[in-house]
Amino acid sequence: MSLPGDGHRPVRPIWLCHHDGLPWPCPAARAGLLREYAGDTVGLAVDLAGALHDAVGDLYALDPHDGPDPAVLWDRFLSWLDRSRRAPP
């Protein structure tokens, strides 16, 4: 996956943003990824699905008994793509 060059990249294995400490992809990373993948939402979705796969493995390895909620990870990594394709009201 190609990541935005502005420092908003994930710190593994905790999957927080290197720049602002928010859960990655943070809002700035999302905006950068949308710019970088302009018009290629499918390519971005495939790359983010790979990142989600890696994050699940990392986060569950860190805390296998109380790992992250799958629905939260889905929202964090992929659900925002559908909203980004909609035209503003």
Side-chain angles (χ1 to χ4, degrees):
M1 166 181 276
S2 179
L3 300 172
D6 58 4
H8 291 275
R9 62 186 184 280
V11 174
R12 292 182 69 178
I14 58 174
W15 287 87
L16 296 178
C17 177
H18 179 269
H19 184 77
D20 55 32
L22 296 173
W24 193 91
C26 64
R30 291 176 183 188
L33 288 165
L34 286 171
R35 279 191 306 275
E36 187 171 324
Y37 283 81
D40 186 14
T41 307
V42 172
L44 177 54
V46 168
D47 282 349
L48 284 171
L52 171 59
H53 177 270
D54 293 345
V56 166
D58 287 348
L59 294 170
Y60 277 98
L62 287 173
D63 189 359
H65 300 292
D66 202 20
D69 180 352
V72 170
L73 289 178
W74 173 262
D75 285 342
R76 181 171 154 184
F77 281 84
L78 292 168
S79 72
W80 61 273
L81 283 177
D82 184 50
R83 291 187 301 271
S84 74
R85 294 177 5 172
R86 296 184 195 142

